[in-house]
Structures are given as structure tokens and as C-alpha cells.
Amino acid sequence: MKKTRGAKSVKPQSTLAVRASISFPPDLYEMLERLAKQKKVSLAWVVRDAAEKYVGDSNAAPREKTART
């Protein structure tokens, strides 16, 4: 298969994980880094753990949706 000039090859994305770029306020980022060092884990692990807990909490107690007009 011939590549065209300037074309980039696209790697198939793993179904195990999706990469995301997230911005944090500096003070929150520093807190996350400190927590990661204390727990001896990566910053990514701390963020994933927090996200899983957040999603789990929101699924445990579903809120009623209000209609917006």
C-alpha cells in the first residue's frame, strides 16, 4: 500500500484505554501530585481513581433530571 505525501499512519486505538488531555488549576494539580507521591502511585492513577469514584457515586444515587425550556 502506497502512502501519499504528508499522510500520517494512524495506529489502531486500544480498547483498554483512551488517552485524554486535561487541564487543572495549578493549586489542584499540585494537590494531586502530592497525593500521588504520598500514595506512591502516578498522577494518572490518582485521576483515574477519582473519576471512577465520582462516576460510581453518581450512579449510586441518581438525581432527578429537571426539564429545561
Side-chain angles (χ1 to χ4, degrees):
M1 189 161 143
K2 188 178 178 183
K3 286 187 180 181
T4 59
R5 183 177 233 209
K8 294 182 180 179
S9 63
V10 178
K11 294 181 183 177
Q13 205 168 15
S14 170
T15 57
L16 299 176
V18 177
R19 185 171 294 274
S21 176
I22 304 171
S23 299
F24 295 105
D27 57 334
L28 177 57
Y29 184 81
E30 290 171 10
M31 290 172 61
L32 292 168
E33 279 190 318
R34 277 196 300 271
L35 186 58
K37 280 186 181 182
Q38 288 171 359
K39 291 180 171 270
K40 297 181 181 175
V41 296
S42 68
L43 180 98
W45 186 93
V46 172
V47 173
R48 281 191 301 270
D49 187 54
E52 287 173 359
K53 288 176 181 173
Y54 180 84
V55 170
D57 289 348
S58 65
N59 286 336
R63 292 180 242 151
E64 290 185 31
K65 294 182 180 178
T66 56
R68 293 185 184 186
T69 55

